[in-house]
Amino acid sequence: MAIKIALAGNPNCGKTTLFNDLTGSNQYVGNWPGVTVEKKEGRLKGHKDVVIQDLPGIYSLSPYTLEEVVARGYLVGEKPDVILNIIDGTNIERNLYLTTQLIELGIPVVMAVNMIDLVRKNGDTIDLKRLSRELGCEAIEISALKGEGSRQAAQLAVEAARESCTGELPHVFTGSVEHALAHIEESIQGKVDERFLRWYAVKLFERDDKVQSELGLDAGLLAHLDEHIADCEKEMDDDAESIITNQRYAYIHRVVSRAVQKKARTEHLTVSDKIDRIVTNRILALPIFAVIMAAIYTLSMGSSNFAIGRMATDWTNDVLFGDWVPNALNAFLEGAGVAPWLQGLVVDGIVAGVGAVLGFVPQMLVLFLMLSLLEDVGYMARVAFIMDRIFRKFGLSGKSFIPMLVGTGCGVPGVMASRTIENERDRRMTIMTTCFIPCSAKMPIIGLFAGALFGGSGLVATSAYFIGMAAIIVSGVILKKTRLFAGDPAPFVMELPAYHVPAWGNVLRATWERGWSFIKRAGTVILASTIVLWFLQGFGFTDGTFGMVEDNNTSLLAGIGGAVSWLFAPLGFASWQATVATVTGLIAKENVVGTFGVLYGFAEVAENGDEIWANIARDFTMLSAYSFMIFNLLCAPCFAAMGAIKREMNNGRWTAIAIGYMCLLAYCTALVVYQLGGLVTGEVGFNFFTVVALALVALAIFLLVRPNPYEKERERVAPSRATVTE
C-alpha cells in the first residue's frame, strides 16, 4: 500500500519548489473535487510506493478561505500517513502557527525548515534539536531552491510514516484554557479518532460550526461545554477564538526565543524594500506597470519585429494549419478514396475549426511564460496590491485586474488567471466580467465595421475598450448588490515575497501546465462544436432531398439562422447572415469576418475583411453595424473561453449563469444603443422596443444608485489575520 505524504505550508514558503524537486515529471495536475483550487499529486522520485500530495498554501486550518477548506478536509478526512510541513526559516515565528495546528491532528509531522541558505546569509542560527524537542516532531534544514536536504526530508517523512510515531503533544495552552480543553476531550472520548482528540477539542472550544455538525453532539452536551468556554472567556476577557490564537502565539514566541538566535539588525533597507519604493510608488507604480505589460504584449501579441508570439501564431495559422496540414490531409484522403463529405468534415470542419484555435497556442505560451516569470520573481503580488484601491470602489479585488489585463490578449488565459483570487465570490464575478474586455480575436470585427462604415476611424476601437470597461464597472456595482455576490470584497491579505532570481524550472512548468490545460480542455469543446457547425453549414434540403449543398443559403444553418434572426431585429440586424456570423463567432470571434466572406461569396478575405466592405455597407447602417459590434464584443465569448469558464467555475449552474449574464447584458446594451440612437437619428420610429430601451436605462440607473440591501453582509475574516509583507 502506498505511503501518502501531505505537503503543507504557508504561501511562498517554497512548497511548490520542493514538490517539483521531489517528484520531477511524476506529477499530475487537476482540480480538487467540487472546487477550482489546483490539486497537485506526484510520486517521489525512485519510490513508486510513495505519493506526495501538494496542499494549497495556507496560513491556518481555520476554514476562512477555499484553500483552507480544501487542506483541512484532506488532512482530517483522508488522514495521510505523514505531514511534511515546510516552513520559511526567515519568517519562522509566523510559519509555526500552522505547525502547531498540524501537530494537534495526531498525524506524524516532519518539519522542513526551508531557505536555510538565506538564514545563514542573514547571520541567524536555528537550533534544530531544540526546535524538534519543543514541538515534539522531527526537524531538518533544507534549501528547496538549491536542492539541499530535500531528499533527506522526504526520507525522514517516509520513515515517520512507517513508524507511525507522533510523539507527545507540545504544551501550547495553559491555565483555564488547558483545563477546558481537557474537559472537552473527556466529553468527546470515543466519538472521534483518538489521535484527533486535541484538534477536535480546540475546534469545539472555538465553537467551530462545521466540527459541531460533523460530530453530531446533542444540544445538552454542547450547552454544557459552552458553559466551560464561557467561563474562560469571562476570566480572560476575550472571545474563545482570540484566546486560542493568543496562546498559540505566546507559545510560539517562547519556542523561537529558545531555539532561534537572530543576528542584531542594523537599520537599513533590503534590496526588495528599495525596489518597492519605486515600483509601488503612488505616482510611478502605474506607469511602470504599463511599460512592463506593454513589453510583454509586444513580445507575445504585438505586430512589431520583436513579437515572437505573433510570428509563431501567424506561422501556425498560415503555414501549418493553413497550408501544410490541409494539403497533406487532402492528398492523403483523396488517395485513399475517402468520400467527399468525410474529407470535408476532416479538412474544412475539424482542421479548420480546431486549427483556428490551436493557432493561438504559441502566443499564449509566450504570454504565459512572461506572466509566470513576473509571478515567480514576486512582481505580480505588487500589481494586485497597487490596483486593489481602485478596484475596491467597484466591488472587485485588486487581483481581478490581472485577469482583465491578460484578457485583452485572449480571453482564455484571462479566465484562467482568475484562479489566483482566493475569495469565491470575487473570483466568480471576475470570470463573468473578464471577457467584456475586447480580446485580440475581436479586433477583426472592429476592423471590419470601422473600415466598411466609419472610414477606418480609430475612435471605433477606442470606444470598444471604453464599452468593455464600462460593462465591467457597471457589472461590479450592480452584482455586488445581489444575494449571489453580496458582501465587501475580501480583505486584501497577500504575501509580498522578497524579489528573487526566478526558478526557471518552476516558470517553465507553470507555463506548460497552463498551455496544456488550454489545449486539452478548450480543444475538446472546439472539436465538438466545429463538427456540429460544419454539418449544419454543409448539409440541407434541396428539391425535397437531404444532402450536401453547394449554396449555403439552402443549408440547415441558414434555415436555423433565418428562424431565430427575428430575435435580433430590435437590435438592428435581422438577416440570417448576421445571425449565422454571430453563431460562428462562438467558435472563434475572428470567424465572424470569415463567415461574412463565405456568405457573400468570397472564398478568402483579409483579416479586416476589406473585400466585403461594400456588402457590409449595403446590409448595415452605421447604427446597426455599431449595435452588431457591441453585441458580439459583450456576448458569450468563443468556445475556447467558454471551456475555460466551465473549468474554472467547475460548476454547470455557475457556468450557465456566467454565459447567460454576458448574453443578457450584450442584448440589452445593443438594444438600448440601436433603439435610442435610432430615435435620435430618425432611423427608428417610436415603438414598443423604444419603451423597453427606456425602461432598461431607468432600471440600470436604479440598480446603480440604490442602497445595497445586503450592506450588513460581510465576509468572515479570521481575527488573527493581518496584511503580511516580506
Side-chain angles (χ1 to χ4, degrees), residues 438-457:
C439 65
S440 60
K442 295 176 182 177
M443 290 298 102
I445 303 175
I446 297 172
L448 171 65
F449 288 103
L453 291 154
F454 295 94
S457 173

Side-chain angles (χ1 to χ4, degrees), residues 399-457:
K399 292 185 179 181
S400 301
F401 181 72
I402 301 301
M404 293 171 187
L405 180 73
V406 174
T408 61
C410 178
V412 175
V415 170
M416 292 170 65
S418 66
R419 64 174 41 197
T420 61
I421 303 172
E422 297 91 348
N423 181 269
E424 189 72 2
R425 291 174 177 176
D426 293 352
R427 191 180 58 78
R428 283 173 172 166
M429 191 159 72
T430 300
I431 292 172
M432 289 175 63
T433 55
T434 291
C435 291
F436 288 146
I437 292 290
C439 65
S440 60
K442 295 176 182 177
M443 290 298 102
I445 303 175
I446 297 172
L448 171 65
F449 288 103
L453 291 154
F454 295 94
S457 173

Side-chain angles (χ1 to χ4, degrees), residues 179-196:
H179 177 74
L181 290 173
H183 182 77
I184 295 173
E185 287 182 10
E186 185 179 343
S187 301
I188 62 174
Q189 194 94 30
K191 294 181 173 64
V192 300
D193 188 318
E194 194 72 22
R195 297 176 301 168
F196 283 45

Side-chain angles (χ1 to χ4, degrees), residues 568 573 577-586 592 628 631-632 635:
F568 300 104
F573 50 96
Q577 290 93 339
T579 303
V580 168
T582 299
V583 172
T584 57
L586 296 177
V592 171
F628 179 88
F631 181 81
N632 279 273
C635 77

